[in-house]
């Protein structure tokens, strides 16, 4: 069964875009839109499409909701604090609506795929005009058209396992980086995670569509292609291809650029994939391989389909094939039923692997997931203590980790002016490590060779060589 939205439907939406543009052109000045994206890169990519569609409807953009004609919140549901942040910001929009009753306020993204959230918005946020689900992104022109003409409250969250909408316009946030979704949804059902419920089943874009977008992005000046999926390692299963083949195909596109990807699931991080990465010179030397826990027992409860031992074997193979690779990971502290012993296994794992950096989270129960039903006897205070201990151990590990780069000459993508010192430039090494160096602003967007002179905990400094 094809999941692609039909060409007819996409054409219909383009007609609505034209109608909206017509209406907007009759105003004294173009309407402004404020699009606020919460959450992961997948959402950022959706936000770029929302902006792309709004731009074609004749909208300009503002960074603040104040005074905007259209406000859209593109939301994330992954942890409770993500949802709280959205509700806090949404509550504040009440005043905006009072000041300007004509403003169109829309909420989309992962949160609104949950019925209880839609109910809450209906009940407690009467100033929200429009709610649309992740499967309805491509219908934005039609939804906005109705807001411009009928002004009725609308909630459109179509059911289903998920769709693929090709050919939507994109307004990229960063000229140097092109985020390219290669697949949508997730089939893994890690027991703590809401994503499979709000993003539907795993589905891959065709290789041709991805390569077409990648080529165009490179021609338009992108220097970094970020291939996106909840688990890129299972790309292409239903299409008879796979992620290593896709990486090899992207790697041979003409031009100097870097290829990154997010996220990889350890259960699908095969030797074949690591070999492909080792052989593709444009692919980043950075593995973000979320481990979540160092305890095989907890990994079982999480439904992760690998053990501590499996994970360590993958790390060993990565270090054998690509000795200079950087490794980062995600860790959840306080999963239901996790004991002090389990937590200590996580500490021992991070000491053993020596990750370059970690994204750490305290477990947050998500309604509808299996873990939310599991007994969770450890108190929030204790989980907080474990969390702080984890950060302290990682900070200790991180100290001195970058010393190994001192003296090396690395190919650096120069991304912008200095982070702390405006007279410097800032870029990223093939391992995604930040480096500051002196040089002309004209080098922004170019690759340069930088000899590393000093290492700090989170960054490097160096000097350009061979210019
Ligand atoms: N698909 C990606 C990541 C999705 S969410 C992957 O599998 O790597 C990003 C991170 O958020 C996860 O890796 C996990 O560490 C964390 N996370 C997800 N659900 C969570 C929850 N309910 N509580 C705390 N952290 C969570
Ligand atoms: Fe969530 Fe697991 Fe899917 Fe990642 S792989 S999105 S953590 S269910
Ligand atoms: Fe959040 Fe949805 Fe991404 S829940 S992490 S924005 S897929």
């Amino acid at each position: 069964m094809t999941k692609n939205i039909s060409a007819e439907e996409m054409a219909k939406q383009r007609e609505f875009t034209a109608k909206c543009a017509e209406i907007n052109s009759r105003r004294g000045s173009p309407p402004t839109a404020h699009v606020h994206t919460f959450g992961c890169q997948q959402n950022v990519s959706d936000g770029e499409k929302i902006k792309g569609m709004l731009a074609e409807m004749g909208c300009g953009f503002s960074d603040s909701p104040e005074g905007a004609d259209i406000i859209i919140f593109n939301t994330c549901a992954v942890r409770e604090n993500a949802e709280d942040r959205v509700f806090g910001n949404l509550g504040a929009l009440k005043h905006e609506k009072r000041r300007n009753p004509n403003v169109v306020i829309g909420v989309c993204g992962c949160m609104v795929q949950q019925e209880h959230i839609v109910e809450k918005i209906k009940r407690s946020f009467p100033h929200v005009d429009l709610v649309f689900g992740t499967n309805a992104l491509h219908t934005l022109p039609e939804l906005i058209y109705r807001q411009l003409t009928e002004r009725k409250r609308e909630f459109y969250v179509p059911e289903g396992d998920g769709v693929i909408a090709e050919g939507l316009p994109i307004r990229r946030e960063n000229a140097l980086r092109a985020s390219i979704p290669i697949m949508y949804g997730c089939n893994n059902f890690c027991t703590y995670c809401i994503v499979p419920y709000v993003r539907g089943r795993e589905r891959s874009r065709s290789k041709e569509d991805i390569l077409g977008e990648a080529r165009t992005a490179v021609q338009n000046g992108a220097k970094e292609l970020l291939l996106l999926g909840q688990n890129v390692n299972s790309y292409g299963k239903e299409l008879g291809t796979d992620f290593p083949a896709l990486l090899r195909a992207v790697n041979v596109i003409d031009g100097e650029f870097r290829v990154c990807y997010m996220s990889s699931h350890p259960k699908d991080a095969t030797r074949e994939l690591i070999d492909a990465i080792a052989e593709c010179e444009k692919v980043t030397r950075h593995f973000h391989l979320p481990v979540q826990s160092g305890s095989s027992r907890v990994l079982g409860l999480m439904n992760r389909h690998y053990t501590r031992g499996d994970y360590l074997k993958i790390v060993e193979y990565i270090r054998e094939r690509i000795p200079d690779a950087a490794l980062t990971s995600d860790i959840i502290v306080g999963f239901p039923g996790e004991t002090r012993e389990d937590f200590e296994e996580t500490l021992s794992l991070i000491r053993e692997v020596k990750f370059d950096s970690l994204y750490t989270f305290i477990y947050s129960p998500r309604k509808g997931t299996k873990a939310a039903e599991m007994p969770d006897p450890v108190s929030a205070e204790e989980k907080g203590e474990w969390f702080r201990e984890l950060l302290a151990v990682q900070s200790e590990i991180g100290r001195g980790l970058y010393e190994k780069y001192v003296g090396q000459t690395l190919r650096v993508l120069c991304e912008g002016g200095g982070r702390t010192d405006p007279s410097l430039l800032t870029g990223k090494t093939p391992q995604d490590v930040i480096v500051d160096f002196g040089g002309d602003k004209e080098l922004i967007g170019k690759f340069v060779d930088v000899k590393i002179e000093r290492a700090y905990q989170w960054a490097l400094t160096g000097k350009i060589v061979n210019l």
Side-chain angles (χ1 to χ4, degrees):
M1 188 193 83
T2 169
K3 306 212 179 260
N4 276 61
I5 302 290
S6 68
E8 293 75 42
E9 172 63 23
M10 295 306 285
K12 183 179 122 195
Q13 293 302 329
R14 278 196 297 277
E15 281 170 25
F16 278 110
T17 303
K19 285 186 195 171
C20 291
E22 221 295 290
I23 294 172
N24 287 333
S25 71
R26 281 191 250 123
R27 296 169 38 120
S29 60
T32 47
H34 169 73
V35 180
H36 187 159
T37 293
F38 302 79
C40 68
Q41 292 297 327
Q42 182 63 65
N43 250 23
V44 172
S45 164
D46 283 353
E48 292 183 337
K49 287 178 181 150
I50 292 169
K51 283 191 167 180
M53 287 185 274
L54 289 170
E56 290 198 345
M57 291 177 222
C59 294
F61 294 93
S62 71
D63 289 337
S64 144
E66 271 165 46
D69 300 287
I70 298 177
I71 300 174
I72 293 184
F73 279 5
N74 181 23
T75 64
C76 170
V78 79
R79 281 171 294 274
E80 195 179 354
N81 57 8
E83 294 193 339
D84 289 347
R85 220 152 60 86
V86 170
F87 281 131
N89 281 278
L90 209 50
L93 290 186
K94 231 177 247 161
H95 309 292
E96 205 48 41
K97 188 73 168 187
R98 212 170 292 141
R99 271 206 318 200
N100 171 18
N102 287 330
V103 61
V104 174
I105 300 182
V107 184
C108 64
C110 296
M111 265 171 87
V112 304
Q113 287 297 126
Q114 306 170 95
E115 241 175 78
H116 69 278
I117 298 282
V118 174
E119 286 311 310
K120 182 166 173 174
I121 294 175
K122 271 188 190 158
R123 231 183 17 245
S124 313
F125 297 85
H127 55 291
V128 171
D129 303 288
L130 174 65
V131 165
F132 57 104
T134 51
N135 288 336
L137 195 77
H138 63 284
T139 68
L140 185 65
E142 185 173 355
L143 297 170
I144 293 287
Y145 176 74
R146 275 208 286 277
Q147 286 299 321
L148 294 179
T149 52
E150 293 169 31
R151 296 257 35 172
K152 267 205 308 250
R153 250 191 141 191
E154 183 164 358
F155 295 81
Y156 184 48
V157 184
E159 301 226 338
D161 287 343
V163 297
I164 298 179
E166 288 296 346
L168 288 177
I170 304 172
R171 194 169 187 274
R172 298 207 188 272
E173 298 288 341
N174 178 334
L176 293 181
R177 175 200 279 174
S179 297
I180 304 179
I182 63 168
M183 61 197 300
Y184 302 94
C186 182
N187 284 354
N188 292 313
F189 289 96
C190 302
T191 52
Y192 51 80
C193 184
I194 195 70
V195 172
Y197 301 91
V198 295
R199 284 280 175 180
R201 295 291 63 72
E202 200 172 279
R203 51 211 185 270
S204 298
R205 288 178 73 191
S206 82
K207 215 162 139 186
E208 293 67 42
D209 286 330
I210 296 167
L211 293 175
E213 189 176 335
R215 276 189 213 103
T216 308
V218 172
Q219 279 158 15
N220 290 340
K223 300 292 176 195
E224 189 175 285
L225 305 181
L226 176 58
L227 308 180
L228 287 176
Q230 294 299 341
N231 175 14
V232 292
N233 299 356
S234 66
Y235 168 77
K237 269 185 189 155
E238 71 278 31
L239 303 177
T241 179
D242 60 15
F243 189 53
L246 180 68
L247 278 180
R248 289 183 196 279
V250 175
N251 192 60
V252 296
I253 294 174
D254 266 348
E256 188 172 16
F257 59 92
R258 200 167 274 166
V259 184
C260 316
Y261 53 90
M262 278 191 86
S263 276
S264 326
H265 195 306
K267 80 177 165 64
D268 301 309
T270 57
R271 288 187 165 222
E272 192 201 348
L273 171 66
I274 296 162
D275 290 341
I277 292 169
E279 286 156 27
C280 291
E281 74 288 352
K282 289 174 183 158
V283 176
T284 168
R285 264 54 197 133
H286 168 195
F287 287 79
H288 180 67
L289 206 55
V291 63
Q292 314 297 357
S293 168
S295 153
S296 295
R297 193 186 75 84
V298 172
L299 290 170
L301 292 173
M302 288 176 164
N303 193 33
R304 291 289 289 178
H305 294 283
Y306 55 87
T307 62
R308 175 192 177 96
D310 297 334
Y311 188 88
L312 290 173
K313 271 199 211 110
I314 299 167
V315 170
E316 194 181 23
Y317 191 66
I318 291 173
R319 296 224 157 119
E320 182 188 317
R321 287 293 270 122
I322 313 173
D324 64 341
L327 260 168
T328 59
S329 201
D330 294 352
I331 304 256
I332 296 178
V333 174
F335 183 81
E338 178 174 330
T339 61
R340 176 74 207 178
E341 289 69 43
D342 292 316
F343 173 65
E344 280 175 13
E345 287 199 57
T346 297
L347 292 182
S348 90
L349 180 112
I350 69 165
R351 286 196 174 102
E352 190 166 340
V353 176
K354 295 196 171 55
F355 291 105
D356 292 68
S357 65
L358 285 182
Y359 297 85
T360 48
F361 310 100
I362 294 187
Y363 168 72
S364 168
R366 305 284 66 211
K367 201 177 161 99
T369 61
K370 275 201 176 148
E373 306 300 320
M374 296 178 186
D376 191 3
V378 175
S379 68
E381 291 70 37
E382 199 165 351
K383 289 184 184 186
E385 275 169 32
W386 294 358
F387 186 75
R388 284 188 291 278
E389 200 175 332
L390 178 72
L391 295 186
V393 170
Q394 178 57 27
S395 159
E396 189 59 38
I397 293 166
R399 208 162 294 154
L401 213 58
Y402 287 169
E403 292 293 336
K404 62 185 174 223
Y405 296 120
V406 174
Q408 291 187 19
T409 297
L410 300 171
R411 192 85 177 142
V412 169
L413 171 58
C414 181
E415 294 185 7
R419 298 169 306 130
T420 46
D421 179 347
S423 70
L424 295 178
L425 298 172
T426 289
K428 266 189 326 208
T429 74
Q431 297 82 10
D432 278 340
V433 178
I434 292 172
V435 45
D436 295 323
F437 49 96
D440 196 292
K441 295 260 181 297
E442 285 188 1
L443 293 173
I444 294 172
K446 301 204 164 72
F447 285 91
V448 287
D449 289 324
V450 174
K451 183 160 186 196
I452 305 304
E453 292 177 328
R454 284 194 68 175
Y456 299 86
Q457 182 143 7
W458 307 116
L460 304 166
T461 57
K463 210 196 251 154
I464 296 183
V465 291
N466 315 329
L467 196 66

